[in-house]
Amino acid sequence: MRCYFKFFALPFFLFIIVLTTNGQQTYPDSIYHNELIRVHSKDSVKKYLKSENERNIIPFFKTILSLAEEKKDTLRIISTLHFLGRTNNQYLSEFKTSNSFFKKELSLLKKVTNPEILKKLEEAKITEIEVLAQMGQNYEDIGQVKKAFDIFYKCEKIAKEKDLEFYKVIMPTLIANLHFKVGDYRSSLVKEYESYNGLKNSKTISDGNKKYNRGEISIDISNSYLKLNKKDSALWILTQGEKEGLDVFTKYAEIRFTEQKGKVYLEKKKFLKALSYLEETQKLADNYDNVAGSIFYYENLAECYFKLKKYNKAIQVMLKGIAAKKQNTKEYFLVNDYKTLAKFYKQSGNLQKSNEYYEKYVLNQKAFENSKKDILTSFHSKKVSDLELEKELQKTRTIFYVIGSSIFILLLLLFLLHLSKKRKDNAQKFQELLLKIESLEQQQKLVDTKDEVLEEKSISDINKETFDEILTGLQKIEEQHYYLKQECNSYNVAKKIKTNTSYLSKAINSHHQKNFNTYINDLRINYAILKLKEDTRFRSYSIQSISEDIGYKSPDSFTKYFKRRTGLLPSVYIKKLNLIT
């Protein structure tokens, strides 16, 4: 059983079920603690707290589950179901039982709406994708590969949609297991390294998760190398794991690494060295799980005994392993075990037993091949589905491209139409301006803006003589082009013609029907129009230089007033003048 979610889900164990302090497990909830003592007795609970055998804790957590269901404690129910599901698959290899707990948990998870419970479940890493991934591995191990395949790809989709880094890096190795089962070892190796390196390079996944899962994947990589007949590489990846301490991170990891090294040496035909590792594995695994520990080592230890011609020992180990494995998998997954056992019996001289197991091998071989076909069909269906999806995406992209191109062309046409209309308008305004220049004798009146709102229109307090003097003074201002100076403002003009700003403003309002600023701007723009038409050298100046020459402090002000008075930008006016002269 290769499981990659053990340490990813560990926080919920500490958070919900038990707390660990100085190596001692204690219950955070005294109600559950006291109820356990009432149901199981104080001595049995003490034994549980000190026990390192996961099988011993199952009854206690089933009691917690019953108590939680009585109290309708949703958080405790879900967390306990999750723990029971994990314990049964990761430690006891009881995959059907494990999935019965996970199915109940998944059903409850979908119904939870309480924000506080959802937050705690999230903190404990109890999520839909985590439960599904565990279920998928269980289905794989009991031979329901089609279900496993569908679940793994569903998890892969969820991981991408929700950007879940841990699952994005771990799903490739779960899919690699299926490649391995159908004999596609190169594809399996590629997928395994994808997860192995993804874990190594991750900045967010915890060190515990990295160590545990990279340890598991190291063993998978080693197995793929063995299938590709790269025995030194199979041993090398294990050595790399030992350097990082992956082999001693947990007792489970220690068993797995020890067994795998024995397997590699067995393949290298170093049988005595292989035996030392495999017998050590037997000791560790049986101590770890005295019911199903043989699942870890029976195949390789039995083969090693066989190579050393210890046939009876080989048969005993094989029978024990098959008995444990048979409880939790479909029989056709035992075909290779039956074939091996038939070989052992034949070599020992027991032809009757040999024939019996060979018949079992033959009877289950077809079902086993069908299982492999199911996996290959699933891979093929996925590829076809991906291809169809890609075609749909390509079709959608083409439609968007066509629509986008059409919109762009339409906008471009509208822009060109607008540009064409603008050019026509500019040409028309330019011609109108030229006609106006040619037709008016008083060219100073070329631009003559009238303000609708005037500041001081009444001149009742100005006598006629003073009024005439102001108008005469303004005439001199115009003739001397004083309005082209940047210092030209109402105060300086009033001072120059020996009056005050109030009288000046009233006189301009009354005589010209415009305010002082409008009056000065009209004079400047009128000057610029004529100067630009008559003086080609003046046209070669920059807009900034022109604006400064006619009294503006910024080219923006000049451009704004010129456009407002003529309907043309200064640059357009200059360009059109250059075309005709």
Side-chain angles (χ1 to χ4, degrees), residues 464-483 488-490 492-500 503-504 507-508 511-512 516 519-520 523:
K464 188 176 185 308
E465 184 180 350
T466 301
F467 183 76
D468 290 340
E469 286 176 356
I470 291 172
L471 294 180
T472 301
L474 288 173
Q475 184 66 33
K476 288 181 181 179
I477 290 293
E478 293 178 20
E479 291 170 357
Q480 294 170 2
H481 294 165
Y482 181 71
Y483 56 84
C488 179
N489 55 43
S490 61
N492 287 333
V493 169
K495 185 178 178 182
K496 207 167 184 60
I497 61 178
K498 297 181 175 55
T499 187
N500 59 54
Y503 280 10
L504 175 65
I508 293 173
H511 186 72
H512 294 287
F516 177 81
Y519 169 68
I520 297 299
L523 291 172

Side-chain angles (χ1 to χ4, degrees), residues 533-546:
K533 183 176 182 299
E534 295 165 359
D535 189 345
T536 55
R537 184 169 169 272
F538 191 56
R539 286 181 221 160
S540 66
Y541 291 178
S542 67
I543 297 298
Q544 182 168 349
S545 296
I546 294 171

Side-chain angles (χ1 to χ4, degrees), residues 8-113:
F8 188 68
L10 183 60
F12 98 88
F13 180 71
L14 300 177
F15 179 72
I16 304 293
I17 306 297
V18 296
L19 299 175
T20 302
T21 309
N22 299 323
Q24 295 295 316
Q25 296 176 328
T26 57
Y27 286 90
D29 189 332
S30 60
I31 295 174
Y32 285 92
H33 181 224
N34 293 336
E35 285 294 313
L36 274 175
I37 290 174
R38 183 181 64 78
V39 175
H40 291 285
S41 86
K42 192 170 184 178
D43 288 339
S44 62
V45 171
K46 281 183 179 179
K47 286 179 182 178
Y48 152 63
L49 292 174
K50 293 179 180 180
S51 174
E52 293 182 354
N53 189 324
E54 279 73 13
R55 198 171 290 278
N56 294 338
I57 69 178
I58 295 296
F60 294 94
F61 281 95
K62 284 185 175 178
T63 303
I64 289 176
L65 179 61
S66 297
L67 293 171
E69 287 173 340
E70 285 177 18
K71 298 175 186 296
K72 297 183 180 179
D73 185 345
T74 304
L75 184 61
R76 182 80 67 169
I77 294 169
I78 291 173
S79 60
T80 307
L81 284 169
H82 194 71
F83 176 78
L84 287 167
R86 274 190 9 194
T87 302
N88 276 276
N89 71 357
Q90 293 175 11
Y91 300 104
L92 308 179
S93 300
E94 295 179 357
F95 311 119
K96 290 181 181 177
T97 305
S98 172
N99 265 359
S100 68
F101 290 120
F102 283 137
K103 284 178 182 177
K104 289 180 183 177
E105 179 189 0
L106 197 60
S107 176
L108 285 174
L109 274 174
K110 291 177 180 178
K111 296 176 183 176
V112 175
T113 56

Side-chain angles (χ1 to χ4, degrees), residues 128-141:
E128 178 189 17
I129 189 173
E130 202 266 343
V131 178
L132 284 171
Q134 299 249 15
M135 288 177 70
Q137 290 180 94
N138 286 342
Y139 281 126
E140 179 191 342
D141 280 294

